[in-house]
Amino acid sequence: YELACHVLSRARTRFVYVGDPHVYPSTHARLNGVRKALFLKGMSLADENVLPGTEEGYKAIVEKVRTDKIDAVICNSDHDAALMMRKCLEAGFEIPGQVAIAGFDDQPIAKLLNVPLTTVAQPAQGLAIRVISTLRDRIENPDLPPTTVRIQGELIIREST
């Protein structure tokens, strides 16, 4: 949600999301955050603008940028964002001039790309502490119901947006 709000604050209005929401719960949650941010601004993300991080998906996105149908790409991961950035740069697009690109995870590559990537850092230590605590509680009380652990990431703003 916070990442999409940031991209919206950069006067971007035509979004695409890269990632398959049916694979991982985190992908679904990230996509829902993008949709929520757009909804609160009176916009929406069409299903046709949720594309997989595949060669075909990247080609479709490059064509959407070329025809001015999108001006922002939010990727499920920094890996997908790095590949998307490469495809856009190869096509001659300016980042962030013609298209803003952002990802999730704050992988080391994010700050080393031709255009350093705006991303959301995942607090691995905080997540590990919560998982261990939850596991300990579960061992001590096996009848506890399953729980979902969500940890807030940190928005890292760089030049790609």
Side-chain angles (χ1 to χ4, degrees):
Y1 171 77
E2 187 179 4
L3 179 59
C5 288
H6 163 72
V7 175
L8 282 163
S9 77
R10 300 294 204 243
R12 302 305 171 137
T13 58
R14 300 177 312 277
F15 282 63
V16 71
Y17 183 85
V18 176
D20 186 348
H22 306 293
V23 176
Y24 300 108
S26 61
T27 305
H28 186 71
R30 291 168 181 178
L31 174 58
N32 282 344
V34 171
R35 285 195 158 132
K36 177 183 175 184
L38 290 170
F39 176 78
L40 293 175
K41 291 289 188 177
M43 297 183 276
S44 65
L45 180 68
D47 287 340
E48 66 199 37
N49 282 349
V50 178
L51 296 165
T54 62
E55 191 64 32
E56 294 78 24
Y58 299 132
K59 285 181 183 177
I61 294 166
V62 165
E63 187 56 31
K64 287 175 181 277
V65 174
R66 185 181 324 284
T67 59
D68 204 31
K69 291 183 179 164
I70 62 164
D71 60 5
V73 180
I74 295 183
C75 300
N76 181 60
S77 69
D78 290 347
H79 179 263
D80 285 338
L83 292 171
M84 187 71 253
M85 184 179 291
R86 189 179 94 214
K87 296 293 184 186
C88 285
L89 291 172
E90 286 173 355
F93 302 134
E94 293 179 19
I95 301 169
Q98 290 172 279
V99 60
I101 300 176
F104 284 89
D105 300 328
D106 195 28
Q107 294 295 312
I109 189 80
K111 57 186 158 205
L112 302 174
L113 294 168
N114 289 354
V115 181
L117 183 67
T118 294
T119 185
V120 175
Q122 302 304 308
Q125 183 177 6
L127 182 58
I129 290 168
R130 285 286 304 273
V131 167
I132 291 168
S133 173
T134 301
L135 182 59
R136 185 180 327 116
D137 292 345
R138 191 82 146 138
I139 290 169
E140 292 171 1
N141 302 298
D143 295 330
L144 285 175
T147 60
T148 300
V149 176
R150 288 200 172 107
I151 304 289
Q152 180 67 37
E154 177 188 357
L155 178 62
I156 308 293
I157 300 170
R158 296 193 180 104
E159 288 84 358
S160 69
T161 56

